[in-house]
């Protein structure tokens, strides 16, 4: 951006001469105003910002020195100031310096003197801008660090005070997880594709918050100890929707619409418990994390609110059939079909003795599912909780459970017991060997984790997790690397055309193949053949 210049002199010839003496545009300046005296200049400065003022020292109405003194004392402008004078008098120069005059140039003005001053001003402005940018980045980094500390509940008083001083946090607030659904789809993607999706999600969040009033810093990009690494978070303050004359629900719906733009995967929100102060935001964050365990068992919703999903009955009593459910869990872990049937019957018999509301049945069911979640992780530590929830999503009918269908619960419990057996047998070694063989023999075909999982009777999301642990990369990245290596062999051992080789290793689009080859080999296929041949 060009620096704005104002020229002030009572002699029109001098003003005209200054305007053509140098190439202002080439030096990064533009002349925005020319005035005949200091008074006119002062009037202009009261409503127009400028970056540099060049003024004659002696003028009628108001001199250059009087103009300089006035704008400094009244803090009207902090523009660079250059005095032009026909008087080689130290007293004048001393007065100018006292009010932060940048330079004192004697008339007649020499082009090289003025150029030197202009370049010094531009250089100083660049340094000031850089310092301001550095300070802004440091402030943002410390603010982000302080917010994360508050969210984790491990913050200092200085961090709390800094956040309070730099963010508008009037009224209550909530922590909100922004989650990407469809775990199976994520597992089919490369690590870079997932990272790109997460970055796009964060950018959508920041853009929406910026449009809400320049509140990008309310987007939380990095909660490194979060269980779900694909999530982004944000702080929802009451004033965000109240200022827009909306309800919180309307605000969340609007935000979800913006978040979902350009996302080829479903997005949903987990809205944590409302707290009154940022110092309590860790409570809201914990409630959002808890909420994650009680959702995604049925049909995926767009928005989950903690107060709606995790409800305590009005009576305050929480009647949980814990003993019966714990015996059912033990029977499932032991894969004891008769004990499973008995425990399910005892559970429903116990519930039939009390007057259970739909909410209470839901709380008992959620307890069971939550414990099943942890039961699976104890069988195989390579399995993440969200992968198990995906398995439950595919195998549970929330409707059947909520209406008390004991036959359905028996069936699911038996199936889950077999699933645990599969985990205990550590299927990774046998299945991964088969998957690796599939890649070796069919790498040119359209291989997917879902099809391989179906073929070898393994949950595709679980297969993706053990594959990543074994090979240190996603299935899709591994397959792409294998194809490129095969292409490199064909380049050196045959005279086949690039397009033919691309098709043989599984790429119908030659340009896409060339890009993948460059990513992994650092050069084009043609150059690789030439250099290695």
């Amino acid at each position: 951006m060009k620096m704005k210049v104002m020229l002030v002199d009572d002699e029109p010839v001098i003003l005209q001469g200054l305007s053509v003496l140098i190439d202002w545009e080439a030096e990064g300046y533009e002349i925005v105003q020319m005035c005949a005296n200091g008074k006119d200049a002062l009037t202009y400065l009261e409503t127009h910002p400028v970056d540099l003022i060049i003024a004659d020292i002696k003028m009628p109405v108001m001199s250059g020195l009087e103009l300089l003194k006035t704008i400094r004392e009244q803090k009207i402008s902090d523009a660079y100031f250059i005095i032009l004078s026909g008087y080689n008098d130290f007293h004048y120069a001393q007065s100018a310096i006292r009010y932060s005059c940048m330079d004192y140039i004697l008339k007649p003005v020499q082009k090289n003197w003025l150029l030197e001053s202009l370049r010094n001003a531009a250089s100083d402005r660049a340094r000031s801008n850089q310092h301001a940018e550095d300070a802004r980045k440091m402030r943002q980094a410390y603010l982000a660090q302080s917010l994360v500390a508050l969210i984790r509940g491990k913050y200092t008083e200085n961090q709390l005070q800094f956040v309070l001083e730099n963010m508008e946090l009037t009224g209550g607030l909530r922590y909100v997880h922004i989650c990407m659904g469809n775990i199976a789809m994520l597992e089919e993607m490369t690590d870079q594709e997932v990272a790109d999706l997460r970055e796009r999600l964060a950018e959508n969040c920041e853009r929406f918050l910026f449009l809400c009033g320049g509140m990008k810093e309310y987007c939380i990009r990095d909660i490194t100890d979060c269980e779900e690494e694909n999530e982004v978070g944000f702080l929802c303050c009451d004033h965000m929707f109240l200022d827009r004359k909306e309800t919180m629900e309307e605000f969340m719906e609007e935000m979800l619409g913006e978040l979902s733009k350009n996302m080829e995967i479903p997005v949903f929100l987990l809205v944590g418990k409302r707290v009154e102060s940022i110092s309590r935001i860790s409570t809201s964050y914990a409630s959002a994390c808890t909420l994650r365990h009680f959702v995604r068992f049925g049909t995926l919703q767009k928005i989950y609110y903690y107060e709606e999903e995790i409800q305590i009955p009005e009576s305050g009593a929480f009647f949980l059939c814990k003993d019966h459910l714990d015996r059912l869990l033990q029977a499932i872990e032991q894969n004891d079909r008769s004990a499973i049937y008995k425990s399910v019957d005892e559970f429903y018999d116990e519930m039939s003795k009390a007057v259970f509301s739909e909410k209470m049945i839901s709380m008992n069911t959620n307890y069971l599912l939550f414990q099943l979640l942890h039961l699976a992780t104890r069988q195989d530590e390579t399995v993440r909780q969200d992968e198990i929830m995906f398995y439950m999503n595919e195998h549970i009918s929330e409707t059947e459970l909520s209406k008390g269908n004991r036959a359905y619960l028996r069936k699911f419990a038996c199936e889950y017991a077999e699933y645990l057996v599969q985990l205990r047998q550590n299927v990774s070694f046998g299945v991964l060997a088969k998957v690796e063989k599939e890649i070796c023999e069919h790498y040119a075909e359209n291989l997917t984790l879902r099809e391989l999982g179906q073929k070898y009777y393994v949950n595709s999301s679980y297969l993706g997790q053990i594959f990543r642990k074994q090979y240190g990369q996603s299935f899709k990245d591994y397959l792409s690397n294998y194809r490129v290596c095969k292409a490199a062999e064909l380049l050196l051992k045959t005279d086949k055309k690039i397009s033919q080789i691309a098709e043989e290793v599984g790429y119908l689009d030659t340009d896409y193949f060339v890009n993948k080859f460059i990513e992994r080999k650092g050069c084009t296929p043609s150059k690789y053949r030439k250099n290695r041949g």
Side-chain angles (χ1 to χ4, degrees):
M1 183 181 294
K2 290 183 175 61
M3 293 178 66
K4 298 178 180 179
V5 183
M6 180 168 67
L7 304 178
V8 190
D9 200 297
D10 60 330
E11 298 184 37
V13 175
I14 292 180
L15 284 177
Q16 185 63 29
L18 285 172
S19 67
V20 298
L21 181 62
I22 60 173
D23 187 343
W24 292 91
E25 185 175 355
E27 295 298 325
Y29 291 85
E30 63 172 328
I31 298 173
V32 296
Q33 181 71 1
M34 292 193 289
C35 299
N37 60 70
K39 185 67 174 177
D40 291 344
L42 186 62
T43 301
Y44 181 84
L45 288 170
E46 287 174 347
T47 55
H48 299 82
V50 300
D51 302 300
L52 173 65
I53 302 168
I54 301 177
D56 186 21
I57 197 168
K58 285 283 188 178
M59 292 180 291
V61 185
M62 178 182 281
S63 71
L65 276 178
E66 290 172 330
L67 172 63
L68 173 60
K69 179 182 178 182
T70 302
I71 66 171
R72 296 301 193 230
E73 289 182 345
Q74 296 184 17
K75 298 181 180 179
I76 294 172
S77 174
D78 60 355
Y80 296 102
F81 207 105
I82 298 175
I83 286 286
L84 304 180
S85 176
Y87 304 94
N88 189 5
D89 188 325
F90 179 70
H91 171 71
Y92 287 118
Q94 191 177 36
S95 298
I97 291 171
R98 185 181 305 124
Y99 293 104
S100 302
C101 179
M102 180 188 149
D103 211 344
Y104 189 93
I105 299 177
L106 294 176
K107 292 181 177 180
V109 178
Q110 300 295 313
K111 179 178 180 179
N112 59 327
W113 293 352
L114 184 56
L115 276 175
E116 183 179 357
S117 293
L118 294 179
R119 289 168 183 171
N120 286 340
S123 178
D124 188 74
R125 173 55 59 90
R127 284 194 298 271
S128 297
N129 288 343
Q130 186 60 53
H131 290 171
E133 179 63 14
D134 291 344
R136 185 189 67 81
K137 288 181 179 179
M138 289 180 64
R139 172 194 164 278
Q140 281 188 331
Y142 186 64
L143 183 61
Q145 180 185 27
S146 299
L147 281 174
V148 170
L150 282 159
I151 289 167
R152 291 175 179 162
K154 300 176 181 179
Y155 60 91
T156 66
E157 279 301 314
N158 287 338
Q159 289 173 319
L160 174 59
Q161 194 60 36
F162 188 82
V163 170
L164 290 172
E165 291 172 356
N166 287 274
M167 297 180 71
E168 183 185 351
L169 299 167
T170 54
L173 63 159
R174 302 166 182 266
Y175 182 87
V176 181
H177 280 310
I178 306 171
C179 311
M180 290 190 286
N182 200 325
I183 298 165
M185 187 182 294
L186 288 172
E187 284 299 339
E188 292 287 351
M189 296 180 179
T190 66
D191 293 345
Q192 187 58 52
E193 286 170 338
V194 174
D196 290 344
L197 268 180
R198 184 182 182 277
E199 178 63 22
R200 197 183 310 160
L201 189 62
E203 289 174 353
N204 286 350
C205 178
E206 290 182 346
R207 181 169 56 252
F208 177 76
L209 291 173
F210 179 77
L211 294 175
C212 287
M215 297 181 287
K216 289 172 61 176
E217 63 268 25
Y218 290 74
C219 176
I220 313 298
R221 283 172 168 261
D222 184 28
I223 302 292
T224 53
D225 61 353
C226 182
E227 293 179 25
E228 175 53 79
E229 61 187 14
N230 297 321
E231 289 178 5
V232 177
F234 84 96
L235 300 182
C236 178
C237 302
D238 289 353
H239 66 80
M240 289 180 176
F241 51 84
L242 293 177
D243 290 346
R244 298 162 68 91
K245 300 187 183 335
E246 294 178 336
T247 64
M248 180 185 66
E249 290 76 14
E250 290 171 338
F251 179 80
M252 290 295 176
E253 288 284 353
E254 187 177 351
M255 183 171 199
L256 184 61
E258 293 298 318
L259 291 170
S260 301
K261 287 183 176 178
N262 304 317
M263 296 291 292
E264 52 266 28
I265 194 165
V267 176
F268 63 97
L269 304 179
L270 303 178
V271 184
K273 181 180 180 181
R274 184 179 183 276
V275 294
E276 293 296 334
S277 166
I278 188 65
S279 63
R280 297 281 298 159
I281 196 63
S282 61
T283 300
S284 185
Y285 172 69
S287 70
C289 291
T290 301
L291 186 59
R292 186 196 293 113
H293 300 309
F294 286 89
V295 301
R296 292 162 67 175
F297 295 119
T299 303
L300 184 66
Q301 298 174 199
K302 292 181 178 180
I303 305 175
Y304 298 88
Y305 295 95
Y306 178 81
E307 287 86 351
E308 294 179 6
E309 300 296 330
I310 313 297
Q311 297 189 38
I312 301 299
E314 293 179 2
S315 64
F318 179 36
F319 192 85
L320 178 67
C321 301
K322 188 175 184 301
D323 291 341
H324 296 298
L325 291 175
D326 286 345
R327 281 195 288 274
L328 174 57
L329 289 164
Q330 183 179 9
I332 292 172
E333 185 171 19
Q334 295 172 352
N335 195 20
D336 187 335
R337 183 174 291 266
S338 61
I340 289 174
Y341 275 52
K342 180 180 178 182
S343 298
V344 169
D345 288 339
E346 289 176 347
F347 168 61
Y348 279 111
D349 289 344
E350 181 67 23
M351 284 206 299
S352 67
K353 296 176 183 178
V355 179
F356 268 76
S357 66
E358 183 178 338
K359 294 177 182 177
M360 291 305 298
I361 293 174
S362 177
M363 288 298 289
N364 275 268
T365 302
N366 281 337
Y367 172 81
L368 174 63
L369 296 175
F370 187 67
Q371 296 304 319
L372 287 174
L373 191 72
H374 290 291
L375 192 58
T377 59
R378 292 203 300 268
Q379 313 305 312
D380 187 341
E381 62 181 12
T382 65
V383 185
R384 286 180 2 187
Q385 288 186 355
D386 55 358
E387 301 304 322
I388 303 162
M389 284 193 287
F390 176 75
Y391 172 87
M392 291 180 174
N393 241 350
E394 289 189 326
H395 292 80
I396 291 179
S397 168
E398 193 173 15
T399 302
E400 294 297 329
L401 286 179
S402 64
K403 69 183 183 182
N405 187 335
R406 68 176 69 196
Y408 180 82
L409 182 56
R410 287 174 186 162
K411 178 176 179 292
F412 166 72
C414 290
E415 289 177 352
Y416 199 82
E418 291 295 333
Y419 173 63
L420 295 182
V421 171
Q422 183 185 66
L423 295 182
R424 281 195 292 271
Q425 290 175 345
N426 197 3
V427 299
S428 59
F429 297 107
V431 171
L432 288 181
K434 294 175 182 177
V435 170
E436 189 173 358
K437 184 179 179 183
E438 289 277 356
I439 293 173
C440 291
E441 296 177 355
H442 305 286
Y443 60 86
E445 300 174 17
N446 185 28
L447 296 176
T448 67
L449 273 178
R450 181 174 292 277
E451 291 174 351
L452 291 172
Q454 291 173 348
K455 184 173 182 178
Y456 295 111
Y457 308 103
V458 180
N459 178 271
S460 60
S461 297
Y462 174 63
L463 180 57
Q465 285 297 305
I466 61 176
F467 192 96
R468 187 186 299 276
K469 182 177 182 181
Q470 179 72 14
Y471 298 103
Q473 58 188 313
S474 69
F475 170 79
K476 195 169 183 179
D477 280 335
Y478 183 93
L479 178 59
S480 185
N481 285 331
Y482 193 90
R483 287 172 169 172
V484 168
C485 288
K486 285 297 181 182
E489 290 180 16
L490 292 173
L491 285 168
L492 299 182
K493 295 179 180 179
T494 72
D495 295 325
K496 294 178 179 179
K497 294 180 179 180
I498 304 298
S499 58
Q500 185 179 355
I501 291 175
E503 186 173 351
E504 286 189 16
V505 299
Y507 294 104
L508 299 180
D509 186 331
T510 304
D511 290 338
Y512 183 75
F513 162 70
V514 171
N515 289 334
K516 287 295 179 184
F517 195 94
I518 292 172
E519 283 180 14
R520 285 158 174 78
K521 297 297 183 181
C523 63
T524 64
S526 299
K527 190 171 183 180
Y528 183 87
R529 171 179 270 169
K530 181 178 179 181
N531 292 343
R532 300 292 183 93

